[in-house]
Amino acid sequence: MIATTLRSSTTKGTTTKGSLFRGAFLTTLNQQQKRDISIGTDLKLSSCTLQKARPWHMDDKSSNLAKDNAVTMQTLFQARKVAVFGIPAPFTGTCTTAHYPPYKALQDEFKAKGIDEIVCYTVADPYAHYNWAKAMGNDFDKISFLADVDGEWAKENELSRDYTAASLGHRSARFSMIVDDGVVKAFNMVTEAEKDAETLLGQV
């Protein structure tokens, strides 16, 4: 299908690299918007763990080991109300310029409506995720960044997507959700990233 899309981008024997990339990438995205997490799903039942976004520690005081930085579903969701937004990859265009900024702008409003934690989730290593957050001036006390290193949680919830056309490999779909004591109360497959934070805030 990607090959077909690439061929269709060629006009009169000339093709721009931009149209090749955009055509293939958007076709892949459209094909893969296929499933969401059902309302009422209890995410605490999952045995998956996420990794705290963090710098690479160069001293003996802090650990770089996965086991020391793991966040279980129970720890994240038990007896708490959490807003989660999932992005395909750190340092990419839409994630940086459209999806994250409105959450930063509305972070205090989420807390005022009873949200205990706002989480930016992605399939990536925790070091890239941390440095992306840092580059955007994120306050980690207001928005947490958690990484699904091998995409296990995304696969378990059928949110894994193939972004090979954009040289990203397998990542997560773009989504958002409200989770109350582990139970999904609202879930969105996000197609308009810049409007997602406002939409999710209205679902709290």
Side-chain angles (χ1 to χ4, degrees):
M1 180 60 72
I2 289 176
T4 301
T5 304
L6 295 180
R7 286 196 297 270
S8 68
S9 298
T10 304
T11 304
K12 297 181 180 180
T14 62
T15 304
T16 65
K17 291 182 179 179
S19 62
L20 279 171
F21 172 82
R22 182 173 175 78
F25 188 42
L26 291 181
T27 297
T28 301
L29 291 179
N30 290 336
Q31 287 175 334
Q32 295 179 350
Q33 300 296 330
K34 60 182 181 181
R35 196 247 190 200
D36 61 24
I37 297 177
S38 300
I39 304 302
T41 300
D42 189 347
L43 298 178
K44 298 193 305 298
L45 301 178
S46 172
S47 61
C48 291
T49 61
L50 303 177
Q51 288 287 303
K52 298 174 185 176
R54 59 190 185 275
W56 183 269
H57 301 296
M58 300 295 290
D59 55 46
D60 296 328
K61 297 179 180 179
S62 302
S63 174
N64 294 313
L65 296 179
K67 66 181 181 65
D68 296 327
N69 291 279
V71 178
T72 67
M73 295 297 106
Q74 290 78 14
T75 299
L76 181 59
F77 295 123
Q78 183 80 45
R80 308 173 75 233
K81 185 176 287 188
V82 182
V84 181
F85 65 104
I87 58 105
F91 291 106
T92 53
T94 300
C95 302
T96 303
T97 63
H99 205 177
Y100 168 80
Y103 276 97
K104 183 178 181 180
L106 295 173
Q107 58 193 7
D108 291 333
E109 294 187 40
F110 274 96
K111 297 299 179 75
K113 293 189 72 172
I115 292 296
D116 295 300
E117 186 172 2
I118 304 170
V119 173
C120 179
Y121 160 94
T122 196
V123 175
D125 68 84
Y127 312 107
H129 205 29
Y130 169 82
N131 282 292
W132 178 55
K134 185 179 179 182
M136 295 186 295
N138 182 66
D139 182 345
F140 288 93
D141 290 329
K142 295 190 174 182
I143 301 180
S144 302
F145 277 57
L146 297 178
D148 183 8
V149 176
D150 59 4
E152 181 182 3
W153 188 88
K155 294 171 187 173
E156 181 177 280
N157 291 285
E158 296 185 32
L159 290 169
S160 181
R161 300 291 185 267
D162 184 357
Y163 297 122
T164 302
S167 301
L168 291 171
H170 288 80
R171 301 278 183 157
S172 167
R174 192 181 303 281
F175 71 91
S176 63
M177 62 182 176
I178 298 295
V179 185
D180 191 352
D181 191 25
V183 178
V184 177
K185 298 298 184 180
F187 185 89
N188 308 296
M189 292 299 294
V190 177
T191 56
E192 295 181 282
E194 68 280 1
K195 297 179 181 179
D196 180 49
E198 186 176 358
T199 297
L200 195 66
L201 181 63
Q203 295 171 327
V204 176

